[in-house]
């Protein structure tokens, strides 16, 4: 097999890559996130040895999404395991600093600032992150039990945080939208693209050790056995202020249909997942639920955003062909694997009073480039509006809105401008992690420093 | 280099716009050919005076300056957004790199395409952050272009025989205030 440009297709070492680093989550899903602290190095290595046995390779029979356990480490975690300093120094600078240290850059200030984060997120105590996701409650329980067992009788390992997640009965996020659409395909992953207009990403955009979109190998931690087939993982617990979101829309809409339209304009998709770019005037649940069609579109025919506003969440997060004529942006350098999941119960339909219950999204990113993928999209496209010629506007749904924000909805004859947007999402914490290959897990378990 | 990230600084910023200046040493004896290459660039569609259509849509203006008897070259521009965030993009998107390749071939330290990492290091090595930077208008190129389109449309409205009448509605007062000159 060769690519269009003549270079050979890359054969990904799927048996060595953790499934969670490469593939989107199952749907529907249930899951658990665990954070562990390594107090004792020997116990830490024994934990890694046990986790190595139950982590799932992307090439495994189970990789179609039934159940998977993914293991990742923070910089402090690798340090706690005794990874030599000269090796630690070869990791990406953002990873070495950790997410809390990047808070100002990421817009995590005010209510979202690390000093307001949920304990122990953002602290040096977070060493190991484990995600177990399954399409089935029983299988989840079985694998989660294995994960717990891996940690039992290891007094030098502390379970310091646990977060359950599950798909809401509606199959949608707490804001009411179908999500998880729009993943890029990755060369060699064996998964077909859902957007026929987007060539699969070169493997090095997601997995270390392979050429990326620039034609080069992404900077990779050394030794090779530690870096190769690994990927960086970002997780963020994001509290969604659903009542505030609903009452904001209600106050600005005369009818339920207008509420739905305003919400769709903010998101870039209707609640069913149907893209505005394809169905601009009304929701089309059949389109929203059709994986062959709900991601097969561009924005190039709508430069002014009459169908999908240029500032809509989905268009910001992935502008597709909208910036092709800019001469300064290569959208393919800013793609990522997202594995977001919901936590907390749904706010009952129609309720606009806050019930005080914590609900939201655990956002998970996988990619080879923390800075030019996750941080770029967050800082340049979601938190800022320079790139769309609206420096004072940020993402209407997930933008920080430290000052009350605005959002322009292009429409004829006169554009509509939503004013006084409050923050609808608050960061409760998160971390930058590294999900090593299976052989790297073995290498970590056998360290003798 | 900034201390906290080990990454290059993007230059000084005023509002959404940042300055970006590169300084190179011209290869021995290449002064005349570089001058010719720059002249040729100046004749390229989009770069001719009055074209206002450079390949990179997010820069306000750009200049190449040969100085010290054509032994040195400066490239100076203003860019909407932080330059460093877009560094890889410049070198993988559009015609930018091919265009610069022709110029960079005449200066020291440039080993040419296609090693993008080397090109990136070469460019960042030539970057000097300004000691002072000021702008006389706010706004991105996109906003300026929009403002120009809006003003052209407004002038068209004013040229209409019934413009005064049309602008008589109270909602038009801010426009009427701008209509008198």
């Amino acid at each position: 097999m060769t690519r269009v440009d003549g270079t050979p297709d890359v054969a990904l070492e799927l048996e060595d890559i953790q499934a969670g680093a490469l593939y989107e989550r199952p749907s529907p899903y249930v899951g658990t996130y665990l954070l562990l602290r390594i107090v004792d190095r020997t116990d830490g290595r024994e934990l890694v040895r046990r986790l190595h046995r139950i982590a799932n390779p992307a090439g495994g029979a189970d990789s179609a999404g039934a159940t998977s356990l993914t293991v990742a480490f923070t910089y402090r975690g690798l340090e706690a395991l005794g990874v030599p300093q000269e090796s630690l120094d070869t990791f990406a600078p953002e990873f070495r600093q950790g997410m809390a240290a990047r808070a100002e850059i990421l817009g995590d200030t005010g209510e979202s600032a690390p000093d307001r984060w949920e304990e122990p997120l953002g602290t040096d105590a977070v060493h190991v992150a484990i995600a177990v996701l399954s399409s089935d409650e029983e299988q989840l329980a079985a694998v989660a039990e294995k994960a717990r067992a891996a940690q039992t009788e290891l007094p030098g390992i502390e379970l310091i945080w646990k977060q359950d997640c599950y798909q809401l009965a509606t199959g949608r996020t707490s804001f009411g939208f179908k999500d998880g659409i729009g993943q890029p395909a990755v060369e060699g992953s064996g998964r077909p693209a859902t957007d026929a207009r987007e060539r699969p990403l070169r493997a090095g955009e997601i997995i270390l050790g392979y050429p990326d979109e620039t034609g080069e190998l992404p900077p990779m931690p050394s030794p090779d056995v530690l870096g190769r087939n690994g990927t960086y993982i970002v997780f963020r617990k994001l509290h969604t202020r659903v009542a505030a979101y609903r009452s904001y829309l209600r106050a600005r809409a005369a009818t339920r249909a207008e509420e739905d339209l305003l919400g769709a304009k903010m998101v870039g998709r209707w609640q069913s997942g149907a893209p505005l770019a394809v169905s601009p005037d009304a929701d089309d649940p059949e389109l929203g639920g059709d994986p062959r069609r709900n991601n097969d579109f561009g924005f190039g025919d709508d430069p002014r955003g009459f169908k999908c506003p240029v500032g809509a969440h989905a268009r910001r997060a992935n502008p597709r062909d909208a910036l092709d004529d800019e001469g300064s942006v290569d959208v393919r350098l800013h793609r990522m694997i997202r594995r977001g999941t919901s936590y907390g119960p749904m706010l009952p339909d129609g309720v606009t009073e806050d019930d005080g219950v914590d609900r939201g999204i655990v956002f998970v990113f996988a990619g080879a480039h923390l800075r030019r993928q996750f941080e770029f999209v967050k800082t340049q496209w979601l938190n800022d509006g320079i790139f769309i010629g609206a420096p004072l506007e940020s993402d209407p749904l997930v933008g920080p809105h430290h000052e009350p924000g605005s959002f322009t909805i292009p429409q004829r004859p006169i554009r509509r401008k939503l004013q006084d947007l409050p923050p609808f999402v608050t960061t409760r914490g998160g971390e930058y992690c590294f999900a090593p290959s299976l052989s790297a897990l073995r290498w970590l378990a056998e360290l003798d420093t | 280099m900034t201390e906290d990230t080990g990454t290059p600084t993007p230059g000084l910023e005023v509002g959404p716009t940042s300055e970006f200046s590169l300084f190179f040493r011209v290869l021995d004896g290449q002064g005349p050919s570089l001058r010719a290459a720059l002249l040729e660039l100046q004749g390229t569609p989009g770069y001719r005076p009055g074209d206002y259509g450079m390949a990179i849509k997010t820069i306000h203006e750009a200049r190449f300056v040969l100085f010290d008897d054509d032994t040195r070259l400066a490239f100076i521009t203003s860019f909407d957004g932080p330059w460093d965030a877009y560094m890889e993009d410049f070198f993988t998107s559009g015609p930018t790199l091919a265009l610069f390749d022709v110029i960079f071939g005449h200066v020291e330290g440039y080993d040419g395409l296609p090693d993008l990492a080397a090109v990136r290091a070469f460019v960042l090595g030539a970057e000097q952050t300004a000691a002072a930077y000021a702008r006389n208008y706010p706004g991105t190129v996109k906003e300026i272009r929009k403002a120009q389109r809006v003003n052209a449309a407004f002038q068209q409205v004013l040229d209409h025989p019934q413009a005064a009448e049309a602008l008589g509605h109270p909602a038009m007062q801010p426009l009427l205030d701008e209509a008198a000159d």
Side-chain angles (χ1 to χ4, degrees):
Chain A
M1 288 283 285
T2 53
R3 291 158 45 87
V4 183
D5 63 10
T7 52
D9 253 356
V10 164
L12 273 175
E13 292 165 7
L14 296 175
E15 294 302 324
D16 196 37
I17 296 166
Q18 293 197 59
L22 191 56
Y23 297 139
E24 60 202 70
R25 59 159 167 73
S27 183
Y29 62 87
V30 284
T32 302
Y33 300 95
L34 305 170
L35 295 181
L36 307 174
R37 177 172 180 228
I38 300 169
V39 183
D40 175 82
R41 182 166 291 177
T42 308
D43 283 359
R45 290 170 181 170
E46 178 56 28
L47 171 77
V48 175
R49 195 183 329 275
R50 295 177 186 181
L51 290 173
H52 170 257
R53 286 200 294 266
I54 53 176
N56 300 75
D62 216 16
S63 71
T67 303
S68 74
L69 178 140
T70 310
V71 186
F73 302 90
T74 64
Y75 178 81
R76 295 291 175 201
L78 295 177
E79 200 176 45
L81 286 170
V83 173
Q85 191 61 46
E86 62 266 28
S87 170
L88 290 171
D89 290 344
T90 60
F91 281 83
E94 302 78 25
F95 169 77
R96 300 203 308 263
Q97 291 176 56
M99 187 185 290
R102 309 284 291 173
E104 290 276 338
I105 294 167
L106 295 173
D108 287 333
T109 55
E111 270 193 75
S112 291
D115 59 3
R116 311 278 291 270
W117 285 3
E118 196 173 300
E119 283 286 322
L121 302 176
T123 71
D124 288 351
V126 179
H127 293 164
V128 186
I130 299 174
V132 189
L133 285 176
S134 177
S135 51
D136 170 273
E137 191 96 42
E138 261 177 53
Q139 286 190 53
L140 171 76
V143 178
E145 183 46 42
K146 280 191 206 168
R148 262 190 294 275
Q151 173 238 322
T152 54
E153 289 166 30
L154 292 177
I157 303 298
E158 292 173 2
L159 174 65
I160 55 174
W161 189 77
K162 179 172 182 289
Q163 177 69 60
D164 290 332
C165 65
Y166 52 89
Q167 194 157 42
L168 298 172
T170 54
R172 297 174 182 183
T173 67
S174 53
F175 285 128
F177 290 82
K178 179 180 166 71
D179 72 341
I181 314 169
Q183 302 283 357
V186 180
E187 274 187 5
S189 70
R191 300 280 174 96
T194 54
D195 177 2
R197 296 151 210 258
E198 186 180 53
R199 244 187 319 114
L201 292 179
R202 301 203 69 179
E205 287 298 308
I206 306 299
I207 304 294
L208 299 173
Y210 303 85
D212 64 21
E213 285 290 326
T214 70
E216 287 157 21
L217 292 174
M220 189 171 86
S222 67
D224 275 10
V225 63
L226 176 59
R228 186 173 169 78
N229 290 327
T231 192
Y232 290 103
I233 299 278
V234 174
F235 80 87
R236 287 164 72 74
K237 182 176 177 181
L238 304 172
H239 169 69
T240 52
R241 301 176 61 222
V242 179
Y245 167 78
R246 286 184 189 166
S247 39
Y248 180 88
L249 293 183
R250 186 148 302 174
R252 283 155 185 82
T255 62
R256 187 67 188 255
E258 192 185 357
E259 266 178 59
D260 289 347
L261 176 67
L262 290 181
K265 290 288 188 183
M266 284 165 69
V267 172
R269 290 182 182 271
W270 296 92
Q271 292 198 346
S272 73
L276 287 179
V278 180
S279 183
D281 301 318
D283 197 355
D284 178 350
E286 204 180 309
L287 167 65
D290 184 346
R292 286 165 307 142
R293 293 196 297 141
N294 66 15
N295 192 36
D296 188 9
F297 64 93
F299 298 117
D301 64 339
D302 184 27
R304 293 175 71 180
F306 291 119
K307 290 193 285 182
C308 179
V310 292
H313 172 68
R315 186 163 173 166
R316 285 171 172 270
N318 179 15
R320 297 172 187 247
D321 56 349
L323 306 175
D324 284 0
D325 295 331
E326 299 276 299
S328 57
V329 187
D330 183 351
V331 171
R332 295 173 63 78
L333 300 184
H334 311 293
R335 303 288 284 129
M336 60 187 75
I337 300 290
R338 288 173 297 124
R339 295 168 58 84
T341 56
S342 291
Y343 73 88
M346 190 167 72
L347 185 67
D349 199 29
V351 173
T352 54
E353 289 286 316
D354 186 19
D355 58 1
V357 175
D358 191 15
R359 59 173 59 82
I361 291 163
V362 176
F363 168 89
V364 176
F365 152 103
H369 300 272
L370 284 173
R371 188 159 174 271
R372 78 159 156 81
Q373 292 172 328
F374 170 69
E375 290 197 346
F376 178 96
V377 172
K378 178 79 175 107
T379 60
Q380 302 307 308
W381 288 350
L382 300 180
N383 291 0
D384 207 316
I386 292 175
F387 80 111
I388 52 169
L392 298 180
E393 292 192 1
S394 65
D395 188 296
L397 196 66
V398 307
H401 307 306
H402 298 307
E403 307 289 327
S406 63
F407 172 59
T408 304
I409 302 173
Q411 60 180 25
R412 292 191 169 93
I414 294 174
R415 60 97 178 104
R416 180 163 184 184
K417 199 160 204 169
L418 298 181
Q419 303 282 8
D420 301 320
L421 276 165
F424 295 124
V425 171
T426 311
T427 309
R428 287 278 156 91
E431 196 48 270
Y432 288 165
C433 301
F434 178 70
S437 68
L438 291 166
S439 43
L441 283 174
R442 204 158 48 233
W443 182 85
L444 286 166
E446 289 166 5
L447 277 170
D448 60 1
T449 48
Chain B
M1 307 282 268
T2 55
E3 273 180 30
D4 59 339
T5 62
T7 48
T9 54
L12 298 187
E13 292 175 7
V14 174
T17 308
S18 55
E19 55 84 21
F20 191 70
S21 309
L22 304 176
F23 295 89
F24 306 99
R25 292 183 191 285
V26 178
L27 286 169
D28 262 354
Q30 299 263 316
S33 52
L34 176 52
R35 207 166 258 286
L38 289 170
L39 198 62
E40 194 167 324
L41 171 65
Q42 185 81 82
T44 311
Y47 295 82
R48 296 171 302 208
D51 276 7
Y52 304 117
M54 288 185 280
I56 300 178
K57 300 287 191 284
T58 45
I59 62 179
H60 288 249
E61 84 298 307
R63 78 198 62 183
F64 284 99
V65 182
L66 276 163
F67 62 107
D68 283 355
D69 294 328
D70 291 1
T71 60
R72 306 209 56 199
L73 173 73
F75 171 72
I76 296 168
T77 186
S78 288
F79 174 79
D80 289 332
W83 241 95
D84 62 333
Y86 286 90
M87 193 53 81
E88 282 89 353
D89 295 61
F90 290 126
F91 299 133
T92 61
S93 67
T96 318
L97 186 52
L99 197 139
F100 276 72
D101 187 52
V102 176
I103 308 297
F104 290 164
H106 298 277
V107 305
E108 289 178 9
Y110 183 65
D111 297 326
L113 301 174
D115 186 345
L116 287 176
V119 173
R120 186 180 194 279
F122 162 76
V123 168
L124 289 173
E127 194 257 354
Q128 296 288 337
T129 295
Y133 178 56
R135 301 189 57 75
N136 222 359
Y137 57 82
T140 60
V141 174
K142 280 196 170 75
E143 289 172 289
I144 302 299
R145 288 191 188 277
K146 170 77 174 173
Q148 288 181 329
R149 288 197 304 273
V150 170
N151 186 47
F154 182 53
Q155 295 304 322
Q156 247 179 298
V157 170
L158 295 186
D159 287 340
H160 194 279
Q162 273 101 49
E165 188 187 332
L167 293 176
H169 191 277
M172 295 291 183
Q173 190 60 47
L175 287 177
L176 198 58
D177 291 343
E178 292 290 345
D181 57 1

